[in-house]
Amino acid sequence: MTEETVTKKKRKPIVYHDSKLYRDEHRAALLMIILPVIGFAIFTLIPLIYSIFASFTNWNGLGEMTFTGLRNFQLMSKDGYFWQTLGNTFYLMLGIPIGLILSFLLASALSRGLKGTTFFRVVYYVPVISSLAAIAIMWQWAYNGDYGLVNQVLALVGIKGPNWLQNVHTVKPAIIAMSVWKGLGYSMLLYLAAIQSIPKSFYEAADLDGANAFQKFKNITWPMCRPVTFFLIITNVIGGSQIFTEINIMTPTGGPEYSSATIVWYIWQKAFKNFQMGYASAMSMVLGVLIFIITALQFYVNRKSDYKLS
């Protein structure tokens, strides 16, 4: 037996988990993780648990809680304003497909490498990074029935515009138009990135097969952009179900006949104007369950129709 063989037998294998380097990295990782975990527990998990408990009580936010069981949920089922604001919220979500279609068309146009593409990217993205409160105030002025920009433009072609935010029939379409304009740049950039990441060899192969523009869009462009579409639908539905700032600024009374009031705005009214914290918590629980169900259904449908590149 040679000296080299004896040395190999005596040498112990290095266990990385027992090394000082591993312990130092482990402690550093825990320090990095513990702060977000503590923040999540303090600002999300504990308030969520407290809100669930509060939904079964009669509580004004300051005094003693009185357990009432399912009374808040029974009142909710008979509350006409609750169902109206919930319906208004889903109505305003009609802007989601409109925004996705417009942003996809814009992204398709900008992906052709025309002059001024960078300029238009910036122009469309400016509303995304602008203050939502400032944008709501600007659109509130634009929709003014007496001196608003929208009616001034309509007057140039001989059309007398309504008082958009004070009309039952126009207030929701007006808010939808503002919401679509606000989020157009974000969706457009995501679609643009998705379109530009599609390998050109796919289109070259389609050209060799004699595919026309519509066939290439149907079989290549749109399927390859499906993950972006799925992401945008999920985030827009979650965000759209919680719309509040625009409503509170543009129509602070909930619009004519509560025609623009959303469910989150109504929850805020009950909680911080009427001090019905227990009832507001119950409505929040129902809204959270609805969002979870809708999101789960979207994941299920997306999985069933998942695009696989062969």
Side-chain angles (χ1 to χ4, degrees), residues 261-288:
T262 59
I263 183 63
V264 172
W265 184 88
Y266 188 55
I267 291 172
W268 176 77
Q269 285 280 325
K270 287 296 184 182
F272 299 103
K273 289 293 186 69
N274 301 335
F275 298 103
Q276 295 177 304
M277 290 288 183
Y279 187 50
S281 298
M283 288 192 289
S284 299
M285 293 302 104
V286 172
L287 177 61

Side-chain angles (χ1 to χ4, degrees), residues 244-256:
F244 168 76
T245 304
E246 305 93 311
I247 307 302
N248 197 43
I249 293 176
M250 299 175 70
T251 56
T253 60

Side-chain angles (χ1 to χ4, degrees), residues 84-111:
Q84 182 181 357
T85 55
L86 190 63
N88 290 341
T89 302
F90 284 109
Y91 185 100
L92 294 176
M93 288 187 190
L94 292 176
I96 294 176
I98 297 173
L100 292 180
I101 293 171
L102 291 177
S103 59
F104 184 82
L105 294 176
L106 285 172
S108 299
L110 293 177
S111 65

Side-chain angles (χ1 to χ4, degrees), residues 37-287:
V37 170
I38 292 174
F40 173 78
I42 294 175
F43 298 107
T44 302
L45 185 60
I46 294 176
L48 175 62
I49 296 172
Y50 199 79
S51 181
I52 293 173
F53 175 74
S55 65
F56 296 98
T57 66
N58 180 19
W59 182 45
N60 62 6
L62 298 173
E64 184 179 354
M65 288 182 173
T66 304
F67 185 78
T68 57
L70 298 175
R71 183 172 178 273
N72 287 327
F73 298 93
Q74 293 172 349
L75 292 175
M76 193 188 313
S77 65
K78 302 175 183 178
D79 187 351
Y81 287 122
F82 168 76
W83 295 107
Q84 182 181 357
T85 55
L86 190 63
N88 290 341
T89 302
F90 284 109
Y91 185 100
L92 294 176
M93 288 187 190
L94 292 176
I96 294 176
I98 297 173
L100 292 180
I101 293 171
L102 291 177
S103 59
F104 184 82
L105 294 176
L106 285 172
S108 299
L110 293 177
S111 65
R112 298 181 180 276
L114 302 176
K115 290 184 178 180
T117 298
T118 303
F119 170 77
F120 284 107
R121 287 183 190 176
V122 174
V123 169
Y124 284 117
Y125 198 74
V126 165
V128 179
I129 60 176
S130 300
S131 167
L132 183 55
I135 287 176
I137 293 172
M138 182 188 73
W139 278 90
Q140 185 182 34
W141 166 80
Y143 283 135
N144 187 278
D146 298 323
Y147 52 80
L149 180 62
V150 175
N151 283 354
Q152 290 182 26
V153 173
L154 291 176
L156 295 177
V157 293
I159 300 175
K160 181 176 175 56
N163 192 349
W164 295 88
L165 300 179
Q166 299 302 321
N167 188 304
V168 175
H169 303 292
T170 60
V171 62
K172 284 195 282 288
I175 294 174
I176 288 174
M178 186 273 293
S179 301
V180 169
W181 177 84
K182 173 73 170 65
L184 198 61
Y186 176 73
S187 302
M188 182 203 67
L189 281 184
L190 291 183
Y191 272 129
L192 184 61
I195 291 173
Q196 292 180 339
S197 65
I198 300 175
K200 294 188 182 300
S201 58
F202 289 4
Y203 295 105
E204 293 171 356
D207 289 332
L208 292 175
D209 291 337
N212 56 35
F214 177 75
Q215 289 173 329
K216 287 188 284 187
F217 167 79
K218 177 184 176 182
N219 298 302
I220 300 176
T221 307
W222 181 248
M224 295 295 287
C225 291
R226 184 174 293 175
V228 173
T229 303
F230 173 67
F231 169 78
L232 289 173
I233 290 175
I234 291 291
T235 54
N236 284 334
V237 167
I238 294 174
S241 62
Q242 302 175 67
I243 181 171
F244 168 76
T245 304
E246 305 93 311
I247 307 302
N248 197 43
I249 293 176
M250 299 175 70
T251 56
T253 60
E257 302 177 16
Y258 254 43
S259 55
S260 66
T262 59
I263 183 63
V264 172
W265 184 88
Y266 188 55
I267 291 172
W268 176 77
Q269 285 280 325
K270 287 296 184 182
F272 299 103
K273 289 293 186 69
N274 301 335
F275 298 103
Q276 295 177 304
M277 290 288 183
Y279 187 50
S281 298
M283 288 192 289
S284 299
M285 293 302 104
V286 172
L287 177 61

